[in-house]
Amino acid sequence: MPKVAVLTGSKSDVPTLDVCVETLAKLGIEHELHVMSAHRAPAKVQAFASSAADNGFEVIIAAAGMAAHLPGVVAAQTALPVIGVPVAQSGGSSVSGMDALLSIAQMPPGIPVACMAVNGAKNAALYAAAILALKHNSVREKLLAFREAQSKA
Ligand code: RP5
């Protein structure tokens, strides 16, 4: 069974990630949600990222706001695909997520991170599913059914 890690930089980001976790669950994808800040808990991030592949994760989703370094810091320590979600909280950053968007999108050459839209947590789950679908037929079937239902709706 494929497993996805959903990481967030703060407990305050978790509500933004609800739709990501719900979508992964709908697609039958096993996942774990962990809060770990690249700035406030760097040792925890290093330990998790460097052992993620050995611990059975195949894709990592990392969400953060403001100077959103979590996706890039995670990507620097694993060869797993990392999907970044820039977070804009109401009453949070004064620049509406542009800070997090650019922090995640503007990775230097050599360490890529896929960057979703600001608060694009649902697409992060769907993109993770698309990656897993290359190898896991059960995920491919659920993803195709999701797309079909979406078109009909
Ligand atoms: C980032 O700083 C987090 O991802 C969060 O979006 C932002 C603010 O964090 P809190 O002060 O709400 O914990 O690291």
Side-chain angles (χ1 to χ4, degrees):
M1 174 60 91
K3 197 164 66 156
V4 170
V6 182
L7 310 180
T8 76
S10 169
K11 279 183 190 164
S12 64
D13 297 330
V14 172
T16 304
L17 269 292
D18 283 349
V19 67
C20 175
V21 168
E22 285 162 19
T23 304
L24 289 170
K26 260 188 212 160
L27 295 170
I29 298 171
E30 195 181 323
H31 52 277
E32 289 181 17
L33 175 69
H34 295 284
V35 177
M36 55 182 77
S37 164
H39 304 114
R40 296 167 177 161
K44 186 175 176 183
V45 174
Q46 183 181 22
F48 187 92
S50 59
S51 62
D54 287 343
N55 287 330
F57 294 101
E58 294 186 39
V59 179
I60 298 177
I61 294 169
M66 302 186 79
H69 294 138
L70 182 62
V73 167
V74 169
Q77 298 175 91
T78 179
L80 293 174
V82 176
I83 303 169
V85 182
V87 174
Q89 300 164 4
S90 55
S93 157
S94 55
V95 289
S96 306
M98 280 303 291
D99 41 9
L101 178 64
L102 294 177
S103 295
I104 295 173
Q106 292 294 98
M107 284 295 291
I111 305 292
V113 167
C115 183
M116 301 293 104
V118 173
N119 291 346
K122 183 171 184 175
N123 272 359
L126 294 171
Y127 196 58
I131 294 169
L132 295 171
L134 294 170
K135 181 171 141 195
H136 300 280
N137 276 339
S138 61
V139 177
R140 190 164 62 88
E141 281 162 17
K142 287 209 166 76
L143 182 58
L144 292 175
F146 168 88
R147 296 284 284 257
E148 181 73 21
Q150 180 172 251
S151 295
K152 281 188 183 141

